[in-house]
Amino acid sequence: HMVELDRRLKAVSAFFCVKLFVLGGAYYCLLELLWRGRTHWTMLLMGGTAITILYFVFSEKLSVGPVAKCVACALLVTAAEFICGCIVNLWLGWDVWDYSGRKFNVLGQICPLFTLFWGLLSIPGAYISRVLHRLHDITVTKEIMKYEKQAKI
């Protein structure tokens, strides 16, 4: 019986992460529309990646302080942005963004200013992550209760 419950809980957690990825991506696209007046479908992937990074960095399993978590988010999301930029902008030539006019940019794909922005965005993201972790816990608890109810039948 425990194997079945474990399988169900893994499925619930995986589905939660997929929803988190899609909603984070959609939110990022909305932010980009408000900021730049345009977006690109690849930003759905970048936003989903960013919110997933934030969710895991701000989990209770990572036992470092909030400032270190914000720095980690900024650096990890910047790394993801660099990888994404190298693929969509440099390799595929889609020109989704170009930071080449910014100081200290790397290949026009990342720059310190936007790393700072990612760090600042992770501050409210910490609170959002806390809510998302609670929602995940509620979802898992409901699945356990549902399983226990079915097991009694």
Side-chain angles (χ1 to χ4, degrees):
H1 294 304
M2 291 306 288
V3 172
E4 173 64 20
L5 178 60
D6 186 54
R7 186 189 65 73
R8 281 184 169 187
L9 294 180
K10 285 180 181 173
V12 165
S13 291
F15 186 63
F16 183 86
C17 287
V18 169
K19 288 190 301 187
L20 174 70
F21 186 91
V22 171
L23 290 173
Y27 179 70
Y28 182 77
C29 286
L30 177 65
L31 282 177
E32 196 168 57
L33 283 170
L34 295 172
W35 179 266
R36 297 189 328 157
R38 63 186 172 89
T39 192
H40 190 268
W41 69 267
T42 56
M43 295 301 93
L44 179 78
L45 303 177
M46 189 58 229
T49 301
I51 194 71
T52 304
I53 288 170
L54 184 102
Y55 179 77
F56 286 106
V57 167
F58 279 99
S59 72
E60 293 176 3
K61 294 172 186 162
L62 190 59
S63 59
V64 296
V67 172
K69 288 181 179 185
C70 288
V71 170
C73 279
L75 295 175
L76 289 168
V77 173
T78 297
E81 184 179 33
F82 182 73
I83 292 166
C84 182
C86 286
I87 294 168
V88 303
N89 295 325
L90 302 179
W91 185 42
L92 297 173
W94 291 348
D95 298 323
V96 178
W97 72 87
D98 182 4
Y99 298 153
S100 60
R102 304 271 180 191
K103 285 188 175 201
F104 309 113
N105 75 83
V106 178
L107 300 175
Q109 304 312 302
I110 57 172
C111 67
L113 178 64
F114 282 88
T115 301
L116 175 64
F117 286 166
W118 284 118
L120 293 174
L121 281 172
S122 70
I123 295 169
Y127 297 103
I128 293 167
S129 181
R130 190 175 305 150
V131 169
L132 292 171
H133 280 281
R134 285 187 186 132
L135 287 173
H136 178 262
D137 291 346
I138 290 167
T139 305
V140 167
T141 301
K142 284 182 180 179
E143 186 63 27
I144 291 170
M145 291 170 60
K146 185 172 136 186
Y147 177 80
E148 287 174 348
K149 186 177 180 181
Q150 289 175 347
K152 289 180 184 177
I153 295 176

